[in-house]
């Protein structure tokens, strides 16, 4: 492949797969942030709370804040991985693979210690009260995000293992001063 030519199909596909994972994680982070921002108003609207409900509500708030911080960190990591995909370096696959492992671990950790894990309702009425603070759709969204992001990142890593991608990363002029694309149009075109 000539120096400066546009990326091969597997590299473009890997870029878009990592970007898709980034979009999923960022959307989940925004959903958690919105719930956290409206948490105080929802808490005040549905008062009075029993001691058990108040304890669980405090746990949900803390875990929502943790989910926002964790999601923001994963989004930044995925942004870096997406930006690394088009760089013509032999370490790109390592960077993307490590980012995929870290994000997969963090997403699974986020499910285990996620906000819905703080809800330990004793009966249906208590659960209905707590769902005013943490709607059931949030749990479903979190599950879809985890599954989708892990599948997208694994697929991206597999695409980077294709021969055309390996040629793209390994066969370039190491003495050249330019090692990337001239614009984002090189990534999205073709």
């Amino acid at each position: 492949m000539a120096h400066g030519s546009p990326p091969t199909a597997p590299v473009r596909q890997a870029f878009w797969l990592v970007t898709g994972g980034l979009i999923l994680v960022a959307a989940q982070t925004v959903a958690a942030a919105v719930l956290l921002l409206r948490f105080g108003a929802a808490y005040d609207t549905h008062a009075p709370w029993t001691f058990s409900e108040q304890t669980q509500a405090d746990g949900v708030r803390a875990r929502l804040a943790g989910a926002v911080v964790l999601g923001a960190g994963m989004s930044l990591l995925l942004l870096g991985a997406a930006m690394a995909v088009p760089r013509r370096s032999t370490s790109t696959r390592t960077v993307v693979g490590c980012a995929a492992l870290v994000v997969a671990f963090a997403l699974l950790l986020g499910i285990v210690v996620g906000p819905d894990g703080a809800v330990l309702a004793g009966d249906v009425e208590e659960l209905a009260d707590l769902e005013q603070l943490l709607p059931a759709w949030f749990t479903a969204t979190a599950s879809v995000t985890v599954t989708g992001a892990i599948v997208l990142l694994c697929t991206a890593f597999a695409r980077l293992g294709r021969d055309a991608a390996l040629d793209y990363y390994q066969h370039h002029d190491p003495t050249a001063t330019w090692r990337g694309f001239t614009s984002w149009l090189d990534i999205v075109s073709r």
Side-chain angles (χ1 to χ4, degrees):
M1 177 179 293
H3 176 70
S5 63
T8 60
V11 175
R12 283 193 313 272
Q13 292 165 356
F15 172 79
W16 288 114
L17 289 166
V18 173
T19 302
L22 167 63
I23 291 168
L24 280 175
V25 171
Q28 178 66 21
T29 303
V30 168
V34 167
L35 287 177
L36 184 61
L37 288 174
R38 73 178 253 316
F39 193 88
Y43 184 84
D44 292 340
T45 301
H46 297 92
W49 299 93
T50 65
F51 178 75
S52 173
E53 290 173 337
Q54 186 175 358
T55 303
Q56 292 177 62
D58 292 341
V60 168
R61 181 190 307 243
R63 289 179 181 210
L64 271 173
V68 170
V69 170
L70 183 65
M74 287 186 298
S75 295
L76 288 174
L77 180 63
L78 286 174
L79 178 64
M83 292 174 68
V85 169
R87 287 187 53 92
R88 295 186 77 156
S89 170
T90 55
S91 61
T92 297
R93 289 187 66 229
T94 304
V95 168
V96 173
C98 289
L101 284 174
V102 168
V103 168
F105 176 76
L107 286 170
L108 293 174
L109 178 68
I111 290 292
V112 172
V113 296
D116 52 333
V119 177
L120 304 169
D123 58 20
V124 174
E125 287 138 14
E126 190 176 50
L127 180 62
D129 288 341
L130 291 169
E131 281 184 347
Q132 301 302 318
L133 301 175
L134 186 69
W137 63 260
F138 184 79
T139 303
T141 303
S143 298
V144 168
T145 298
V146 169
T147 304
I150 290 173
V151 166
L152 288 172
L153 293 173
C154 289
T155 306
F157 186 70
R159 296 303 296 163
L160 290 177
R162 305 279 300 200
D163 288 338
L166 292 175
D167 288 343
Y168 174 79
Y169 290 120
Q170 292 177 353
H171 301 296
H172 65 281
D173 183 6
T175 61
T177 57
W178 176 83
R179 298 189 191 274
F181 296 108
T182 56
S183 76
W184 286 102
L185 295 176
D186 289 345
I187 296 170
V188 296
S189 65
R190 295 187 183 88

